[in-house]
Amino acid sequence: MHVPSVSHLSAEDPEIAGLVEAEARRQYEKLRLIASENYVSPAVLEATGSVLTNKYSEGYAGKRYYEGQQNVDPIELLAIRRAKELFGAEHANVQPYSGSPANLAVYMAFLEPGDPVMGLSLPMGGHLTHGWSVSATGKWFRPVRYEVRADTGRVDMDQVRDLALKERPKLIWCGGTAIPRTIDFPAFAEIAREAGAVLAADVAHIAGLIAGGAHPSPIGHADVVTTTTHKTLRGPRGAMILSTAEHAKAVDKAVFPGLQGGPHDHTTAAIAVALKEAAQPDFPAYARQIVANAQVLAAALADRGYDLVSGGTDNHLILIDLTNKGVAGKPAAQALDRAGIELNYNAVPFDPRKPFDPSGLRIGTAAITTRGLGAEQMPLVAAWIDEVVQGVSKQDETVAERVAGQVRELLASYPMPGWAPAP
Ligand SMILES: *Cc1c(COP(=O)(O)O)cnc(C)c1O
């Protein structure tokens, strides 16, 4: 049963309705460990599915290019106010369609084509949009890439400083997609100041942890902060750009008319809802539990001989290097998926294998923490992962089936926001 209901969808398009139903059941029955995913609340789902999707609102509140903004303006202003309050930012733009366009807007605001930009290398945990070669940001700007240290698995701040002073990037990105450790925003800010660069913090993965006080905030250190709204922040698919008042105009002009047309007003409303939820007194406990779960899971995996990049985690994310297990990331991820444990294969720093067939697995605890799983369940999760990974090297397919059944049985006690099996 879907909350909100999908009765019209079922009547009008049973083919799509059937697939939506199957997806809901899949999300209900599987241990969802993809680090960028979560379960949003029924309130966020309702806002996303509302009639706001019918509206066009190019421009900003009070300065729109279409009429009929009597309700959209207050919605967007609420989302902006809540974003500024939650993160303590001077300015917020809630219109970017998603994380990648938000990052592109930062280039649009501060750089000219060909300008140097510095970011963490993609296979070391950075994001495509931080200047990776296949991305427009790597083709249209001059990328300079920093890495993590081989001995610690952590960002090499000495290298960041040396490269920044040598290459003089106009923009420095900190943050990424596979960073298990705390980002040192003050240290990045100091280097950016020395190098005369704009510092952009991309906190897409950790925005919910920051909002809940479980990770330090980049506000007051970075000139501009970008984030998706759908990862640990637990909102709809969307993004925001936070900045100092000084950069407000440049950021807004870059998003519209620089890059985008009409904002997705249904998403804006859902972002406002998610920001309200993240400001509730129980959200810090959620953020802390995400981290606690990741740390207990990391320790249990390490006990079983798993090699964790950086040796553990400070946040929601664990990166496993499977090299010592004699299994590659992709076959392990595929076997785990068959076993009801959903995660992604991932490159590890200095990975000798190819990006489409790398050595690692990436795990995140945001979604299972939303389901209500706690530290007590994490050793069991580690045991399942271990059993399945060992089954891969032994080519034992019965393991997957048995574990999938055990996962389903456990999760039946943890309700899923948005869907429940028929009674
Ligand atoms: C997820 C992510 C993005 C991109 O978000 P999309 O919404 O998928 O475009 C950007 N930066 C980082 C660090 C991310 O983790």
Side-chain angles (χ1 to χ4, degrees), residues 39-347:
Y39 295 93
V40 300
S41 70
V44 167
L45 289 174
E46 284 177 3
T48 306
S50 69
V51 295
L52 289 164
T53 201
N54 299 338
K55 190 70 197 112
Y56 241 101
S57 316
E58 281 188 12
Y60 292 101
K63 295 166 291 205
R64 304 282 189 186
Y65 291 80
Y66 296 83
E67 298 311 315
Q69 310 297 340
Q70 292 82 358
N71 307 302
V72 165
D73 274 5
I75 286 170
E76 188 171 325
L77 289 172
L78 252 181
I80 289 169
R81 198 182 81 208
R82 288 174 182 173
K84 286 162 66 176
E85 279 175 12
L86 185 65
F87 291 97
E90 292 173 5
H91 178 68
N93 185 306
V94 296
Q95 293 193 1
Y97 298 142
S98 211
S100 305
N103 287 354
L104 212 50
V106 172
Y107 290 83
M108 184 82 189
F110 298 107
L111 271 62
E112 295 295 329
D115 279 345
V117 54
M118 200 164 115
L120 178 61
S121 153
L122 179 75
M124 301 271 170
H127 191 261
L128 282 164
T129 55
H130 299 178
W132 193 242
S133 47
V134 297
S135 156
T137 62
K139 291 183 192 287
W140 298 344
F141 302 91
R142 183 168 70 76
V144 178
R145 297 181 188 113
Y146 59 90
E147 304 189 329
V148 301
R149 286 176 59 113
D151 55 346
T152 62
R154 296 173 189 239
V155 170
D156 187 341
M157 295 306 291
D158 294 331
Q159 186 198 30
V160 173
R161 184 169 181 277
D162 291 348
L163 275 174
L165 295 180
K166 180 162 155 270
E167 303 286 346
R168 297 281 164 176
K170 272 212 174 155
L171 171 67
I172 298 176
W173 286 104
C174 58
T177 61
I179 303 174
R181 294 297 183 177
T182 302
I183 300 166
D184 191 346
F185 298 120
F188 272 102
E190 178 64 37
I191 291 167
R193 221 178 353 260
E194 254 186 282
V198 169
L199 178 64
D202 180 349
V203 299
H205 265 265
I206 54 175
L209 304 183
I210 292 166
H215 188 289
S217 172
I219 300 294
H221 304 292
D223 300 289
V224 47
V225 176
T226 64
T227 182
T228 55
T229 47
H230 48 268
K231 299 179 184 175
T232 52
L233 193 55
R234 211 161 57 177
R237 302 303 281 253
M240 306 189 294
I241 304 177
L242 310 173
S243 77
T244 54
E246 181 194 351
H247 299 305
K249 227 187 197 139
V251 165
D252 284 353
K253 269 177 62 184
V255 174
F256 175 87
L259 277 174
Q260 298 189 171
H264 295 178
D265 298 322
H266 56 304
T267 300
T268 306
I271 289 174
V273 173
L275 290 168
K276 182 172 181 180
E277 290 174 353
Q280 297 309 304
D282 58 349
F283 198 82
Y286 168 62
R288 277 196 304 275
Q289 192 62 50
I290 293 174
V291 176
N293 284 351
Q295 289 178 334
V296 175
L297 181 54
L301 287 166
D303 279 348
R304 290 173 177 275
Y306 285 84
D307 182 9
L308 309 183
V309 172
S310 83
T313 181
D314 298 328
N315 54 33
H316 66 303
L317 189 146
I318 300 165
L319 196 54
I320 304 177
D321 184 344
L322 287 173
T323 306
N324 68 347
K325 295 287 179 183
V327 182
K330 198 174 186 174
Q334 288 169 341
L336 284 159
D337 191 55
R338 289 194 291 277
I341 298 172
E342 184 190 5
L343 40 65
N344 66 285
Y345 59 86
N346 211 97

